[in-house]
Amino acid sequence: QVSKREASKQGNLSWLLDENTQERERGVTMEIGTKTLRVPHHDIVILDAPGHQDFIPVMITGAANADVAILVVAAVTGEFEAGFTGGGQTKEHILLARGLGVTQVIVAVNKLDVEGWNQERYNQIEHDVKEFLLKQEFKPKRIKFVPISGLTGENITTRKDPELSNWYKGPTLLEAIDGFFPANRHIEKPPRFIVTDVFPEGKGVVTRGRVVQGFVEVGDRLVVLPVGDIV
Protein backbone atom coordinates (compact mmCIF):
# COMPACT_ATOMS: atom_id res chain seq x y z
CA GLN A 1 0.00 0.00 0.00
CA VAL A 2 1.17 3.51 -0.79
CA SER A 3 0.57 6.18 1.83
CA LYS A 4 -0.59 9.63 0.80
CA ARG A 5 2.68 11.03 2.16
CA GLU A 6 4.74 8.71 -0.05
CA ALA A 7 2.58 9.40 -3.09
CA SER A 8 2.89 13.15 -2.60
CA LYS A 9 6.67 12.87 -2.95
CA GLN A 10 6.37 11.08 -6.29
CA GLY A 11 3.87 12.35 -8.80
CA ASN A 12 4.87 10.16 -11.71
CA LEU A 13 2.65 7.36 -12.96
CA SER A 14 5.36 4.70 -13.28
CA TRP A 15 6.35 5.10 -9.60
CA LEU A 16 2.76 4.53 -8.51
CA LEU A 17 2.48 1.36 -10.60
CA ASP A 18 5.68 -0.18 -9.22
CA GLU A 19 5.05 -2.93 -6.69
CA ASN A 20 7.91 -2.70 -4.19
CA THR A 21 10.51 -0.43 -2.60
CA GLN A 22 13.39 -1.79 -4.67
CA GLU A 23 11.66 -0.95 -7.94
CA ARG A 24 10.83 2.56 -6.73
CA GLU A 25 14.37 3.21 -5.50
CA ARG A 26 15.97 2.02 -8.74
CA GLY A 27 13.33 3.57 -10.98
CA VAL A 28 13.07 0.32 -12.98
CA THR A 29 10.11 -2.06 -13.17
CA MET A 30 11.39 -5.61 -12.62
CA GLU A 31 8.23 -7.64 -11.92
CA ILE A 32 4.67 -7.61 -13.19
CA GLY A 33 2.67 -5.14 -11.14
CA THR A 34 -1.08 -5.66 -10.96
CA LYS A 35 -3.58 -2.86 -10.48
CA THR A 36 -7.34 -2.68 -11.05
CA LEU A 37 -9.17 0.15 -12.75
CA ARG A 38 -12.87 0.75 -13.35
CA VAL A 39 -13.94 2.87 -16.32
CA PRO A 40 -17.53 3.43 -17.49
CA HIS A 41 -17.66 0.43 -19.84
CA HIS A 42 -14.97 -1.92 -18.50
CA ASP A 43 -13.35 -3.33 -15.38
CA ILE A 44 -9.65 -3.31 -16.23
CA VAL A 45 -6.79 -5.31 -14.72
CA ILE A 46 -3.53 -3.50 -15.49
CA LEU A 47 -0.40 -5.65 -15.83
CA ASP A 48 2.56 -3.28 -15.52
CA ALA A 49 5.30 -5.20 -17.35
CA PRO A 50 9.00 -4.25 -17.41
CA GLY A 51 10.45 -2.47 -20.42
CA HIS A 52 14.14 -3.03 -19.70
CA GLN A 53 15.90 -5.64 -21.84
CA ASP A 54 17.14 -7.52 -18.74
CA PHE A 55 13.54 -8.41 -17.87
CA ILE A 56 12.18 -9.50 -21.26
CA PRO A 57 11.08 -12.95 -19.93
CA VAL A 58 8.92 -11.18 -17.33
CA MET A 59 7.49 -8.91 -20.03
CA ILE A 60 6.58 -11.99 -22.11
CA THR A 61 4.64 -13.44 -19.16
CA GLY A 62 2.69 -10.21 -18.83
CA ALA A 63 1.95 -9.95 -22.55
CA ALA A 64 0.81 -13.59 -22.65
CA ASN A 65 -1.89 -12.72 -20.12
CA ALA A 66 -3.05 -9.54 -21.85
CA ASP A 67 -5.97 -8.88 -24.18
CA VAL A 68 -4.84 -5.35 -25.09
CA ALA A 69 -1.69 -3.26 -24.71
CA ILE A 70 -0.67 0.26 -23.74
CA LEU A 71 2.72 0.95 -25.30
CA VAL A 72 4.47 3.86 -23.56
CA VAL A 73 7.07 5.65 -25.69
CA ALA A 74 9.14 8.66 -24.67
CA ALA A 75 8.75 11.75 -26.86
CA VAL A 76 12.03 13.32 -25.74
CA THR A 77 14.43 13.85 -28.64
CA GLY A 78 17.02 11.09 -28.49
CA GLU A 79 15.03 8.89 -26.10
CA PHE A 80 12.43 7.88 -28.68
CA GLU A 81 15.07 7.28 -31.33
CA ALA A 82 17.15 5.16 -28.93
CA GLY A 83 14.15 3.00 -28.07
CA PHE A 84 12.66 2.71 -31.54
CA THR A 85 15.47 2.88 -34.07
CA GLY A 86 18.68 2.53 -32.07
CA GLY A 87 18.46 -1.10 -30.99
CA GLY A 88 16.05 -0.34 -28.13
CA GLN A 89 13.14 -2.44 -26.91
CA THR A 90 10.12 -0.69 -28.44
CA LYS A 91 9.95 -2.73 -31.63
CA GLU A 92 10.72 -5.96 -29.77
CA HIS A 93 7.84 -5.33 -27.36
CA ILE A 94 5.47 -4.73 -30.28
CA LEU A 95 6.57 -7.95 -31.98
CA LEU A 96 6.24 -10.00 -28.78
CA ALA A 97 2.83 -8.59 -27.89
CA ARG A 98 1.46 -9.23 -31.39
CA GLY A 99 2.89 -12.74 -31.44
CA LEU A 100 1.24 -13.47 -28.08
CA GLY A 101 -2.21 -12.52 -29.36
CA VAL A 102 -2.58 -8.83 -28.54
CA THR A 103 -4.65 -7.14 -31.28
CA GLN A 104 -5.42 -3.71 -29.77
CA VAL A 105 -2.91 -1.09 -28.71
CA ILE A 106 -2.87 2.42 -27.30
CA VAL A 107 0.43 4.22 -27.86
CA ALA A 108 0.92 6.66 -24.98
CA VAL A 109 3.35 9.32 -26.18
CA ASN A 110 4.86 10.24 -22.83
CA LYS A 111 7.03 13.24 -21.84
CA LEU A 112 5.67 15.34 -24.68
CA ASP A 113 5.60 18.23 -22.21
CA VAL A 114 9.42 18.18 -22.29
CA GLU A 115 9.12 18.97 -26.01
CA GLY A 116 6.72 21.83 -25.25
CA TRP A 117 3.70 19.77 -26.42
CA ASN A 118 5.12 20.07 -29.92
CA GLN A 119 2.56 18.84 -32.47
CA GLU A 120 5.17 18.13 -35.15
CA ARG A 121 7.11 15.91 -32.76
CA TYR A 122 3.91 14.04 -31.85
CA ASN A 123 2.99 13.58 -35.51
CA GLN A 124 6.45 12.26 -36.34
CA ILE A 125 6.29 9.65 -33.56
CA GLU A 126 2.75 8.67 -34.54
CA HIS A 127 3.81 8.19 -38.17
CA ASP A 128 6.87 6.07 -37.34
CA VAL A 129 5.19 3.83 -34.75
CA LYS A 130 1.94 3.42 -36.67
CA GLU A 131 3.82 2.36 -39.80
CA PHE A 132 5.55 -0.40 -37.82
CA LEU A 133 2.31 -1.49 -36.11
CA LEU A 134 0.54 -1.84 -39.45
CA LYS A 135 3.40 -4.01 -40.72
CA GLN A 136 2.70 -6.34 -37.79
CA GLU A 137 -0.93 -6.60 -38.97
CA PHE A 138 -2.55 -4.45 -36.28
CA LYS A 139 -5.78 -3.08 -37.76
CA PRO A 140 -5.93 0.75 -38.05
CA LYS A 141 -9.18 0.98 -36.06
CA ARG A 142 -7.52 -0.87 -33.18
CA ILE A 143 -4.60 1.56 -32.87
CA LYS A 144 -4.86 4.81 -30.87
CA PHE A 145 -2.28 7.48 -30.03
CA VAL A 146 -2.56 9.64 -26.91
CA PRO A 147 -0.08 12.36 -25.82
CA ILE A 148 0.48 12.37 -22.05
CA SER A 149 2.78 13.45 -19.26
CA GLY A 150 3.17 10.70 -16.67
CA LEU A 151 4.98 13.16 -14.38
CA THR A 152 2.33 15.90 -14.29
CA GLY A 153 -0.69 13.71 -15.10
CA GLU A 154 -1.63 15.83 -18.12
CA ASN A 155 -4.16 14.12 -20.42
CA ILE A 156 -4.35 10.98 -18.30
CA THR A 157 -7.72 11.76 -16.74
CA THR A 158 -8.15 15.42 -17.76
CA ARG A 159 -6.57 17.88 -20.17
CA LYS A 160 -5.77 21.35 -18.82
CA ASP A 161 -2.59 22.60 -20.49
CA PRO A 162 -3.54 25.08 -23.25
CA GLU A 163 -0.39 24.23 -25.24
CA LEU A 164 -1.79 20.73 -25.73
CA SER A 165 -5.48 21.67 -25.96
CA ASN A 166 -4.76 24.11 -28.80
CA TRP A 167 -4.17 21.26 -31.26
CA TYR A 168 -5.07 17.92 -29.64
CA LYS A 169 -8.81 17.18 -29.58
CA GLY A 170 -8.69 13.42 -29.01
CA PRO A 171 -9.37 11.35 -25.89
CA THR A 172 -7.53 11.31 -22.59
CA LEU A 173 -5.72 8.10 -21.73
CA LEU A 174 -8.61 6.87 -19.55
CA GLU A 175 -11.11 7.69 -22.29
CA ALA A 176 -9.00 5.75 -24.79
CA ILE A 177 -8.86 2.78 -22.40
CA ASP A 178 -12.64 2.92 -22.04
CA GLY A 179 -12.86 2.72 -25.83
CA PHE A 180 -11.14 -0.68 -26.06
CA PHE A 181 -13.19 -3.34 -27.83
CA PRO A 182 -14.21 -6.05 -25.32
CA ALA A 183 -12.41 -9.39 -25.60
CA ASN A 184 -14.41 -12.20 -27.20
CA ARG A 185 -14.16 -15.08 -24.75
CA HIS A 186 -16.31 -17.72 -26.53
CA ILE A 187 -17.87 -18.70 -23.22
CA GLU A 188 -20.06 -21.30 -24.95
CA LYS A 189 -16.98 -23.48 -25.62
CA PRO A 190 -15.20 -25.83 -23.16
CA PRO A 191 -12.93 -23.95 -20.71
CA ARG A 192 -9.36 -23.38 -21.84
CA PHE A 193 -6.89 -21.69 -19.50
CA ILE A 194 -3.28 -21.17 -20.62
CA VAL A 195 -0.92 -21.41 -17.64
CA THR A 196 1.95 -18.92 -17.74
CA ASP A 197 3.24 -19.14 -14.17
CA VAL A 198 3.01 -21.50 -11.17
CA PHE A 199 4.09 -20.65 -7.63
CA PRO A 200 3.52 -22.15 -4.15
CA GLU A 201 1.31 -20.43 -1.61
CA GLY A 202 0.85 -22.02 1.80
CA LYS A 203 0.15 -25.71 1.34
CA GLY A 204 -1.20 -25.28 -2.16
CA VAL A 205 -0.14 -24.11 -5.59
CA VAL A 206 -1.33 -20.97 -7.38
CA THR A 207 -1.38 -20.70 -11.16
CA ARG A 208 -1.36 -17.55 -13.24
CA GLY A 209 -2.59 -17.50 -16.81
CA ARG A 210 -5.13 -16.39 -19.35
CA VAL A 211 -8.69 -17.56 -19.96
CA VAL A 212 -9.00 -18.14 -23.69
CA GLN A 213 -12.52 -19.56 -23.79
CA GLY A 214 -15.27 -21.01 -21.60
CA PHE A 215 -15.76 -20.48 -17.87
CA VAL A 216 -15.25 -22.39 -14.60
CA GLU A 217 -17.63 -22.75 -11.68
CA VAL A 218 -17.05 -24.02 -8.14
CA GLY A 219 -16.91 -27.81 -8.19
CA ASP A 220 -15.83 -28.16 -11.84
CA ARG A 221 -13.08 -30.66 -12.67
CA LEU A 222 -10.36 -29.68 -15.12
CA VAL A 223 -7.76 -31.58 -17.13
CA VAL A 224 -4.16 -30.32 -16.98
CA LEU A 225 -2.36 -30.91 -20.28
CA PRO A 226 -0.10 -32.41 -21.47
CA VAL A 227 0.16 -34.63 -18.36
CA GLY A 228 -3.57 -35.37 -18.19
CA ASP A 229 -4.00 -34.82 -14.44
CA ILE A 230 -7.53 -34.12 -13.16
CA VAL A 231 -7.84 -31.17 -10.76
Side-chain angles (χ1 to χ4, degrees):
Q1 297 293 324
V2 181
S3 70
K4 291 183 178 180
R5 181 176 296 179
E6 287 180 299
S8 66
K9 296 177 183 177
Q10 298 286 342
N12 67 79
L13 188 62
S14 62
W15 185 90
L16 291 171
L17 288 173
D18 284 337
E19 289 283 281
N20 55 56
T21 303
Q22 186 179 6
E23 289 183 326
R24 288 175 176 151
E25 288 177 349
R26 292 183 57 182
V28 176
T29 301
M30 295 177 286
E31 300 176 354
I32 297 172
T34 304
K35 297 288 186 293
T36 57
L37 174 68
R38 175 166 289 181
V39 290
H41 296 98
H42 305 293
D43 289 331
I44 304 290
V45 177
I46 300 173
L47 302 174
D48 180 29
H52 196 278
Q53 62 182 357
D54 291 347
F55 306 106
I56 285 294
V58 182
M59 179 270 168
I60 291 173
T61 299
N65 289 320
D67 296 308
V68 297
I70 301 174
L71 177 70
V72 182
V73 298
V76 179
T77 301
E79 276 194 54
F80 171 74
E81 287 75 12
F84 191 70
T85 62
Q89 302 302 303
T90 306
K91 287 184 176 179
E92 184 175 3
H93 288 326
I94 293 172
L95 289 168
L96 288 170
R98 187 68 187 92
L100 291 165
V102 173
T103 59
Q104 300 180 66
V105 61
I106 294 172
V107 181
V109 183
N110 192 24
K111 303 182 183 179
L112 194 61
D113 54 323
V114 178
E115 298 288 324
W117 297 112
N118 187 291
Q119 184 178 5
E120 291 185 6
R121 178 63 172 166
Y122 173 80
N123 290 341
Q124 175 197 346
I125 293 171
E126 180 179 7
H127 173 270
D128 292 349
V129 177
K130 188 172 185 178
E131 184 178 56
F132 187 75
L133 288 170
L134 293 174
K135 287 180 180 178
Q136 310 315 313
E137 299 185 355
F138 282 93
K139 295 181 180 179
K141 67 178 182 179
R142 293 177 180 261
I143 302 171
K144 296 179 182 178
F145 286 81
V146 181
I148 66 167
S149 170
L151 183 63
T152 67
E154 181 66 21
N155 207 42
I156 291 178
T157 59
T158 59
R159 183 165 58 251
K160 299 178 180 179
D161 196 314
E163 291 188 38
L164 175 61
S165 301
N166 285 340
W167 58 268
Y168 179 75
K169 307 301 180 183
T172 64
L173 182 59
L174 279 187
E175 288 170 345
I177 291 172
D178 193 42
F180 272 132
F181 295 99
N184 189 355
R185 295 294 188 204
H186 299 291
I187 61 172
E188 75 283 357
K189 294 184 178 181
R192 186 182 177 202
F193 177 80
I194 298 176
V195 178
T196 58
D197 195 12
V198 178
F199 52 93
E201 185 170 301
K203 296 182 179 180
V205 175
V206 176
T207 61
R208 174 184 289 164
R210 180 181 182 185
V211 177
V212 178
Q213 65 185 37
F215 61 93
V216 179
E217 295 181 311
V218 176
D220 285 354
R221 308 288 285 175
L222 302 175
V223 179
V224 180
L225 297 176
V227 294
D229 289 349
I230 306 294
V231 295

